[in-house]
Amino acid sequence: QSALTQPASVSGSPGQSITISCTGTSSDVGAYKYVSWFQQHPGKAPKLMIYDVTNRPSGVSNRFSGSKSGNTASLTISGLQPEDEADYYCSSYTSSSSVIFGGGTKLTVL
Amino acid sequence: QVQLVESGGGVVQPGTSLRLSCAASGFIFSDYGMHWVRQAPGKGLEWVAFIWYDGSSKYYADSVRGRFTISRDSSKNTLYLEMNSLRVEDTAVYYCARAGSGGWYLVEYWGQGTLVTVSS
């Protein structure tokens, strides 16, 4: 099964908003409300930022939000801050009783 | 707080075996399912395997099914990944992760990872 499709890179200036897309199929993203988003800084473990499409874990800034339409999920970061610069990955449950990740998106804060 | 500490990584030759361990603390280990996720150098995340809280069911990625075995010992609060017939493409940082309470698919808390290098 191929990875979910994410843009390789996105960028934005401090204070701006950016959106990262995550495209799957009707067997994963489109079929379930089980999409998560992770933030990973260089040399660090990933951190859960969004789960079940729209939910934020305790302690995650409300500048991070998630949505889904059809086979595509999205992560929006508003009020960009320098510390948001990181790699972002989406994941989804699949109909094959597995978990699939996206290829990752490098966010650059200009 | 949730702590997951992986160990057992190292440099091995293709075709050999290796066992990874993950020591869990800060939560009731026997109440949660557990994942292994890997990341090849400079690459993205790849889900590897999952085991239910009681060990009754296990799921594997196609890329490792039949070669890797996930297991757990709740008396030791430890998760394992037995890796056999290792290939060069198995080279990666292997992360242990705890599943969410709302669904096994949720990879909620992550360890810091252990590096496995398969090279001749």
Side-chain angles (χ1 to χ4, degrees), chain B residues 12-15 38 40-41 67 85-92 94 116-120:
Chain B
V12 296
Q13 292 191 328
R38 68 184 180 183
R67 299 189 300 124
S85 303
L86 281 162
R87 305 167 180 168
V88 171
E89 55 266 33
D90 294 320
T91 295
Y94 284 73
V116 173
T117 302
V118 184
S119 173
S120 55

Side-chain angles (χ1 to χ4, degrees), chain B:
Chain B
Q1 72 280 20
V2 174
Q3 276 204 309
L4 300 166
V5 180
E6 303 91 337
S7 61
V11 181
V12 296
Q13 292 191 328
T16 62
S17 300
L18 195 64
R19 188 177 82 158
L20 305 183
S21 299
C22 169
S25 61
F27 64 101
I28 302 174
F29 183 69
S30 57
D31 281 353
Y32 290 89
M34 299 293 295
H35 296 270
W36 286 101
V37 178
R38 68 184 180 183
Q39 185 171 34
K43 302 297 184 181
L45 301 170
E46 181 187 15
W47 176 79
V48 173
F50 171 82
I51 184 169
W52 277 83
Y53 68 99
D54 59 358
S56 60
S57 287
K58 305 172 185 181
Y59 306 132
Y60 296 94
D62 290 343
S63 57
V64 307
R65 187 176 291 112
R67 299 189 300 124
F68 289 13
T69 301
I70 188 172
S71 63
R72 63 191 298 158
D73 185 340
S74 290
S75 69
K76 296 181 179 179
N77 286 353
T78 302
L79 175 73
Y80 302 101
L81 185 67
E82 185 75 38
M83 304 185 293
N84 298 319
S85 303
L86 281 162
R87 305 167 180 168
V88 171
E89 55 266 33
D90 294 320
T91 295
V93 172
Y94 284 73
Y95 294 102
C96 157
R98 197 197 81 176
S101 53
W104 75 261
Y105 53 86
L106 178 58
V107 186
E108 188 170 19
Y109 291 98
W110 300 65
Q112 288 304 305
T114 186
L115 176 62
V116 173
T117 302
V118 184
S119 173
S120 55

